[in-house]
Amino acid sequence: MLSIVPPTPAGPAMSWRQLLSRRRYPDQPQLHIVGDTPAVRGAFVADYDRVVFSSAFRRLQRKTQVMPLPETDFVHTRLTHSLETACVGRSLGRLGGRKLLEADPELAQELPTLDHDFGDIVAAACLTHDIGNPPFGYSGEHAISAYFASPEAAAYVRTISEAERADLQQFEGNAAGFRMLTHTYAAHSTGTAGLGLTYATLGAFSKYPRASVLDAEAQTGGVSEKRYGYFQSEKARFRHVATELGLLPKGNPGSGLYHRHPLAFLVEAADDLCYRIIDFEDGLKLGLIDPQLGLSLLRSMLNDPPGRPASIQWHDWREELGYVRARLIGRLVAEIADLFALHAPAMLTGQYDQPLIKELDCWHELHEVEMLSVEKLYRSRPVLEIEAAGFEVLGGLLDAFLHATFDPQRSHRSRKLLDLLPAQFRAVGPQQEATAYEQIMLLTDFVGSMTDQNALSLYRTIKGIALPKGY
């Protein structure tokens, strides 16, 4: 049985019962009971299903994971990456939860389904972890940030606050994801719930529980401060979620900086495993990384004893690659679950804030795998060329639609561009009062929510480079 020694208390601690809140954002009742009978689906399974059936999740099938605009059918998109991360996350959650129950009889009596709840929450949160990413992968975030820091955008951002400018000039897909999960556009309905997920899933989703401008006195240097998790437009919403879950604030309670929901560490670990190992697998299959070198690295992490008999003779290195990858992920899931259970008491008190993956025995090899991917895959010429084009596409779209929105003359071109905007992204006219920041955020939502192909096609159209199909 795992020996879990709680750290020396340094103040208040979060409660698992509160952290596993089944209430739905923003103030909906628990729906896991129908009359006197438990619902067929638990609340957290319903979260997973809500995400799968959302249009935002469906768009991930045409958003970049490794190779922008892939022409081959075996590389991953954001959709397949998210599904695989959710599978790994479910295993991490259930195994980590089971270890906690085995080590703590009182917890097992209080929350007997904790292991299944952990698995369902982490799987749902993993499914959403990239839902706010813009077109063209991480370079899309850099492209949006670069545009709003450029002279072309100066006229649009000079009237907004420093914190609001930071949202745009340090654009963050995680914050866009939180906005997407909790925001309903007025043109769609009078609702205010977004996808209406449980507070527990929203908490596990929030790997970076802080705003874009960080209170220097509250900083601790932990991994949860590396990026930010909500825009100024969602500041009140995030505070509401944190209060419902009992997340511990860091520093001044008004600073907007919180300690992570403990399950966010498992969401992060699932993503870390998948993008390191499976992106690397894509690099081998694309011929960008030497397959024998890659296989050798992955085998070394398995750490099989010398002379272990092989049960299968491989005739295709690609098939062996899949086998080694599956065994490796299975082994690392078990190790990370042990680490999570070991550090869970410190997570509840805010005394642990490091990536679990860095404590693995094979961390050095995993880091080597990542560096090879950076050198051979992420910086390969096809990726760099398309990402460079992405800067022009996203910056060009933002500039065109911002100019049209803020054009006081409402020129003929501006009116035509605004007619192309879906209703939910418009904030013009006497009946739609909106601040400059709110208008900019709506247009950033529009561009950021596009697929790679949709963004490229619209850019070509409005620049006159190509006409829509059929002309």
Side-chain angles (χ1 to χ4, degrees), residues 30 68 95 151 306 354 392 408 413 422 442 446 469:
Q30 298 186 35
L95 190 53
Q354 300 300 324
E392 295 298 320
R413 182 176 186 272
L442 286 172
F446 170 58
K469 291 182 179 179

mmCIF file with all atom_site columns, all heavy atoms in Angstrom, residues 30 68 95 151 306 354 392 408 413 422 442 446 469:
data_model
loop_
_atom_site.group_PDB
_atom_site.id
_atom_site.type_symbol
_atom_site.label_atom_id
_atom_site.label_alt_id
_atom_site.label_comp_id
_atom_site.label_asym_id
_atom_site.label_entity_id
_atom_site.label_seq_id
_atom_site.pdbx_PDB_ins_code
_atom_site.Cartn_x
_atom_site.Cartn_y
_atom_site.Cartn_z
_atom_site.occupancy
_atom_site.B_iso_or_equiv
_atom_site.pdbx_formal_charge
_atom_site.auth_seq_id
_atom_site.auth_comp_id
_atom_site.auth_asym_id
_atom_site.auth_atom_id
_atom_site.pdbx_PDB_model_num
ATOM 1   N N   . GLN A 1 30  ? -27.257 20.340 -9.212  1.00 0.00 ? 30  GLN A N   1
ATOM 2   C CA  . GLN A 1 30  ? -26.673 19.056 -9.576  1.00 0.00 ? 30  GLN A CA  1
ATOM 3   C C   . GLN A 1 30  ? -27.719 18.237 -10.322 1.00 0.00 ? 30  GLN A C   1
ATOM 4   O O   . GLN A 1 30  ? -28.860 18.154 -9.908  1.00 0.00 ? 30  GLN A O   1
ATOM 5   C CB  . GLN A 1 30  ? -26.218 18.296 -8.326  1.00 0.00 ? 30  GLN A CB  1
ATOM 6   C CG  . GLN A 1 30  ? -25.141 19.048 -7.554  1.00 0.00 ? 30  GLN A CG  1
ATOM 7   C CD  . GLN A 1 30  ? -24.586 18.234 -6.413  1.00 0.00 ? 30  GLN A CD  1
ATOM 8   O OE1 . GLN A 1 30  ? -24.471 17.028 -6.510  1.00 0.00 ? 30  GLN A OE1 1
ATOM 9   N NE2 . GLN A 1 30  ? -24.243 18.906 -5.325  1.00 0.00 ? 30  GLN A NE2 1
ATOM 10  N N   . PRO A 1 68  ? 1.067   21.772 -39.843 1.00 0.00 ? 68  PRO A N   1
ATOM 11  C CA  . PRO A 1 68  ? -0.052  22.586 -40.320 1.00 0.00 ? 68  PRO A CA  1
ATOM 12  C C   . PRO A 1 68  ? -0.567  22.089 -41.664 1.00 0.00 ? 68  PRO A C   1
ATOM 13  O O   . PRO A 1 68  ? 0.206   21.646 -42.520 1.00 0.00 ? 68  PRO A O   1
ATOM 14  C CB  . PRO A 1 68  ? 0.553   23.986 -40.455 1.00 0.00 ? 68  PRO A CB  1
ATOM 15  C CG  . PRO A 1 68  ? 1.791   23.962 -39.615 1.00 0.00 ? 68  PRO A CG  1
ATOM 16  C CD  . PRO A 1 68  ? 2.292   22.553 -39.692 1.00 0.00 ? 68  PRO A CD  1
ATOM 17  N N   . LEU A 1 95  ? -6.424  5.664  -11.744 1.00 0.00 ? 95  LEU A N   1
ATOM 18  C CA  . LEU A 1 95  ? -5.359  4.988  -11.012 1.00 0.00 ? 95  LEU A CA  1
ATOM 19  C C   . LEU A 1 95  ? -4.886  5.838  -9.837  1.00 0.00 ? 95  LEU A C   1
ATOM 20  O O   . LEU A 1 95  ? -4.693  5.327  -8.725  1.00 0.00 ? 95  LEU A O   1
ATOM 21  C CB  . LEU A 1 95  ? -4.197  4.693  -11.960 1.00 0.00 ? 95  LEU A CB  1
ATOM 22  C CG  . LEU A 1 95  ? -3.084  3.789  -11.427 1.00 0.00 ? 95  LEU A CG  1
ATOM 23  C CD1 . LEU A 1 95  ? -3.650  2.480  -10.885 1.00 0.00 ? 95  LEU A CD1 1
ATOM 24  C CD2 . LEU A 1 95  ? -2.074  3.507  -12.541 1.00 0.00 ? 95  LEU A CD2 1
ATOM 25  N N   . PRO A 1 151 ? 2.650   48.263 -34.707 1.00 0.00 ? 151 PRO A N   1
ATOM 26  C CA  . PRO A 1 151 ? 2.147   49.628 -34.942 1.00 0.00 ? 151 PRO A CA  1
ATOM 27  C C   . PRO A 1 151 ? 0.756   49.638 -35.574 1.00 0.00 ? 151 PRO A C   1
ATOM 28  O O   . PRO A 1 151 ? -0.026  50.570 -35.340 1.00 0.00 ? 151 PRO A O   1
ATOM 29  C CB  . PRO A 1 151 ? 3.196   50.227 -35.889 1.00 0.00 ? 151 PRO A CB  1
ATOM 30  C CG  . PRO A 1 151 ? 4.435   49.435 -35.640 1.00 0.00 ? 151 PRO A CG  1
ATOM 31  C CD  . PRO A 1 151 ? 3.978   48.056 -35.320 1.00 0.00 ? 151 PRO A CD  1
ATOM 32  N N   . PRO A 1 306 ? 17.798  -6.809 -19.166 1.00 0.00 ? 306 PRO A N   1
ATOM 33  C CA  . PRO A 1 306 ? 18.611  -7.435 -20.235 1.00 0.00 ? 306 PRO A CA  1
ATOM 34  C C   . PRO A 1 306 ? 18.158  -8.871 -20.489 1.00 0.00 ? 306 PRO A C   1
ATOM 35  O O   . PRO A 1 306 ? 17.840  -9.613 -19.565 1.00 0.00 ? 306 PRO A O   1
ATOM 36  C CB  . PRO A 1 306 ? 20.035  -7.402 -19.658 1.00 0.00 ? 306 PRO A CB  1
ATOM 37  C CG  . PRO A 1 306 ? 19.998  -6.327 -18.616 1.00 0.00 ? 306 PRO A CG  1
ATOM 38  C CD  . PRO A 1 306 ? 18.626  -6.323 -18.046 1.00 0.00 ? 306 PRO A CD  1
ATOM 39  N N   . GLN A 1 354 ? 4.766   21.826 -9.259  1.00 0.00 ? 354 GLN A N   1
ATOM 40  C CA  . GLN A 1 354 ? 5.742   21.441 -10.263 1.00 0.00 ? 354 GLN A CA  1
ATOM 41  C C   . GLN A 1 354 ? 5.120   20.410 -11.204 1.00 0.00 ? 354 GLN A C   1
ATOM 42  O O   . GLN A 1 354 ? 4.194   19.696 -10.816 1.00 0.00 ? 354 GLN A O   1
ATOM 43  C CB  . GLN A 1 354 ? 6.996   20.845 -9.602  1.00 0.00 ? 354 GLN A CB  1
ATOM 44  C CG  . GLN A 1 354 ? 7.713   21.792 -8.664  1.00 0.00 ? 354 GLN A CG  1
ATOM 45  C CD  . GLN A 1 354 ? 8.205   23.058 -9.347  1.00 0.00 ? 354 GLN A CD  1
ATOM 46  O OE1 . GLN A 1 354 ? 8.630   23.021 -10.505 1.00 0.00 ? 354 GLN A OE1 1
ATOM 47  N NE2 . GLN A 1 354 ? 8.143   24.189 -8.649  1.00 0.00 ? 354 GLN A NE2 1
ATOM 48  N N   . GLU A 1 392 ? 0.969   36.096 -41.398 1.00 0.00 ? 392 GLU A N   1
ATOM 49  C CA  . GLU A 1 392 ? 0.354   37.022 -42.341 1.00 0.00 ? 392 GLU A CA  1
ATOM 50  C C   . GLU A 1 392 ? -1.159  36.862 -42.359 1.00 0.00 ? 392 GLU A C   1
ATOM 51  O O   . GLU A 1 392 ? -1.909  37.839 -42.398 1.00 0.00 ? 392 GLU A O   1
ATOM 52  C CB  . GLU A 1 392 ? 0.916   36.775 -43.746 1.00 0.00 ? 392 GLU A CB  1
ATOM 53  C CG  . GLU A 1 392 ? 2.394   37.076 -43.896 1.00 0.00 ? 392 GLU A CG  1
ATOM 54  C CD  . GLU A 1 392 ? 2.718   38.536 -43.630 1.00 0.00 ? 392 GLU A CD  1
ATOM 55  O OE1 . GLU A 1 392 ? 1.935   39.408 -44.060 1.00 0.00 ? 392 GLU A OE1 1
ATOM 56  O OE2 . GLU A 1 392 ? 3.740   38.793 -42.973 1.00 0.00 ? 392 GLU A OE2 1
ATOM 57  N N   . PRO A 1 408 ? -14.849 55.096 -38.609 1.00 0.00 ? 408 PRO A N   1
ATOM 58  C CA  . PRO A 1 408 ? -15.935 56.051 -38.322 1.00 0.00 ? 408 PRO A CA  1
ATOM 59  C C   . PRO A 1 408 ? -16.735 56.417 -39.563 1.00 0.00 ? 408 PRO A C   1
ATOM 60  O O   . PRO A 1 408 ? -17.893 56.840 -39.464 1.00 0.00 ? 408 PRO A O   1
ATOM 61  C CB  . PRO A 1 408 ? -15.185 57.265 -37.759 1.00 0.00 ? 408 PRO A CB  1
ATOM 62  C CG  . PRO A 1 408 ? -13.808 57.164 -38.329 1.00 0.00 ? 408 PRO A CG  1
ATOM 63  C CD  . PRO A 1 408 ? -13.521 55.707 -38.465 1.00 0.00 ? 408 PRO A CD  1
ATOM 64  N N   . ARG A 1 413 ? -16.236 49.347 -48.210 1.00 0.00 ? 413 ARG A N   1
ATOM 65  C CA  . ARG A 1 413 ? -15.448 48.148 -47.919 1.00 0.00 ? 413 ARG A CA  1
ATOM 66  C C   . ARG A 1 413 ? -15.681 47.681 -46.492 1.00 0.00 ? 413 ARG A C   1
ATOM 67  O O   . ARG A 1 413 ? -15.832 46.482 -46.230 1.00 0.00 ? 413 ARG A O   1
ATOM 68  C CB  . ARG A 1 413 ? -13.964 48.419 -48.144 1.00 0.00 ? 413 ARG A CB  1
ATOM 69  C CG  . ARG A 1 413 ? -13.080 47.186 -47.894 1.00 0.00 ? 413 ARG A CG  1
ATOM 70  C CD  . ARG A 1 413 ? -11.618 47.467 -48.220 1.00 0.00 ? 413 ARG A CD  1
ATOM 71  N NE  . ARG A 1 413 ? -10.811 46.256 -48.125 1.00 0.00 ? 413 ARG A NE  1
ATOM 72  C CZ  . ARG A 1 413 ? -10.236 45.833 -47.000 1.00 0.00 ? 413 ARG A CZ  1
ATOM 73  N NH1 . ARG A 1 413 ? -10.398 46.532 -45.874 1.00 0.00 ? 413 ARG A NH1 1
ATOM 74  N NH2 . ARG A 1 413 ? -9.517  44.712 -46.993 1.00 0.00 ? 413 ARG A NH2 1
ATOM 75  N N   . PRO A 1 422 ? -20.154 36.744 -38.721 1.00 0.00 ? 422 PRO A N   1
ATOM 76  C CA  . PRO A 1 422 ? -21.326 36.121 -38.095 1.00 0.00 ? 422 PRO A CA  1
ATOM 77  C C   . PRO A 1 422 ? -21.881 37.021 -36.998 1.00 0.00 ? 422 PRO A C   1
ATOM 78  O O   . PRO A 1 422 ? -21.133 37.769 -36.351 1.00 0.00 ? 422 PRO A O   1
ATOM 79  C CB  . PRO A 1 422 ? -20.771 34.812 -37.521 1.00 0.00 ? 422 PRO A CB  1
ATOM 80  C CG  . PRO A 1 422 ? -19.568 34.523 -38.357 1.00 0.00 ? 422 PRO A CG  1
ATOM 81  C CD  . PRO A 1 422 ? -18.975 35.863 -38.691 1.00 0.00 ? 422 PRO A CD  1
ATOM 82  N N   . LEU A 1 442 ? -14.323 40.248 -29.307 1.00 0.00 ? 442 LEU A N   1
ATOM 83  C CA  . LEU A 1 442 ? -15.244 39.547 -30.199 1.00 0.00 ? 442 LEU A CA  1
ATOM 84  C C   . LEU A 1 442 ? -14.569 39.213 -31.525 1.00 0.00 ? 442 LEU A C   1
ATOM 85  O O   . LEU A 1 442 ? -14.715 38.108 -32.058 1.00 0.00 ? 442 LEU A O   1
ATOM 86  C CB  . LEU A 1 442 ? -16.493 40.386 -30.439 1.00 0.00 ? 442 LEU A CB  1
ATOM 87  C CG  . LEU A 1 442 ? -17.497 40.457 -29.283 1.00 0.00 ? 442 LEU A CG  1
ATOM 88  C CD1 . LEU A 1 442 ? -18.591 41.474 -29.592 1.00 0.00 ? 442 LEU A CD1 1
ATOM 89  C CD2 . LEU A 1 442 ? -18.117 39.090 -29.000 1.00 0.00 ? 442 LEU A CD2 1
ATOM 90  N N   . PHE A 1 446 ? -13.525 35.578 -33.190 1.00 0.00 ? 446 PHE A N   1
ATOM 91  C CA  . PHE A 1 446 ? -13.861 35.183 -34.563 1.00 0.00 ? 446 PHE A CA  1
ATOM 92  C C   . PHE A 1 446 ? -12.654 34.571 -35.265 1.00 0.00 ? 446 PHE A C   1
ATOM 93  O O   . PHE A 1 446 ? -12.721 33.469 -35.810 1.00 0.00 ? 446 PHE A O   1
ATOM 94  C CB  . PHE A 1 446 ? -14.368 36.413 -35.322 1.00 0.00 ? 446 PHE A CB  1
ATOM 95  C CG  . PHE A 1 446 ? -14.538 36.213 -36.806 1.00 0.00 ? 446 PHE A CG  1
ATOM 96  C CD1 . PHE A 1 446 ? -15.375 35.223 -37.295 1.00 0.00 ? 446 PHE A CD1 1
ATOM 97  C CD2 . PHE A 1 446 ? -13.867 37.029 -37.712 1.00 0.00 ? 446 PHE A CD2 1
ATOM 98  C CE1 . PHE A 1 446 ? -15.535 35.033 -38.670 1.00 0.00 ? 446 PHE A CE1 1
ATOM 99  C CE2 . PHE A 1 446 ? -14.017 36.861 -39.074 1.00 0.00 ? 446 PHE A CE2 1
ATOM 100 C CZ  . PHE A 1 446 ? -14.857 35.856 -39.552 1.00 0.00 ? 446 PHE A CZ  1
ATOM 101 N N   . LYS A 1 469 ? -15.187 29.203 -54.016 1.00 0.00 ? 469 LYS A N   1
ATOM 102 C CA  . LYS A 1 469 ? -15.463 28.150 -54.980 1.00 0.00 ? 469 LYS A CA  1
ATOM 103 C C   . LYS A 1 469 ? -16.794 28.395 -55.665 1.00 0.00 ? 469 LYS A C   1
ATOM 104 O O   . LYS A 1 469 ? -17.760 28.813 -55.062 1.00 0.00 ? 469 LYS A O   1
ATOM 105 C CB  . LYS A 1 469 ? -15.469 26.765 -54.296 1.00 0.00 ? 469 LYS A CB  1
ATOM 106 C CG  . LYS A 1 469 ? -14.082 26.332 -53.836 1.00 0.00 ? 469 LYS A CG  1
ATOM 107 C CD  . LYS A 1 469 ? -14.141 24.949 -53.223 1.00 0.00 ? 469 LYS A CD  1
ATOM 108 C CE  . LYS A 1 469 ? -12.741 24.508 -52.789 1.00 0.00 ? 469 LYS A CE  1
ATOM 109 N NZ  . LYS A 1 469 ? -12.757 23.165 -52.160 1.00 0.00 ? 469 LYS A NZ  1
#
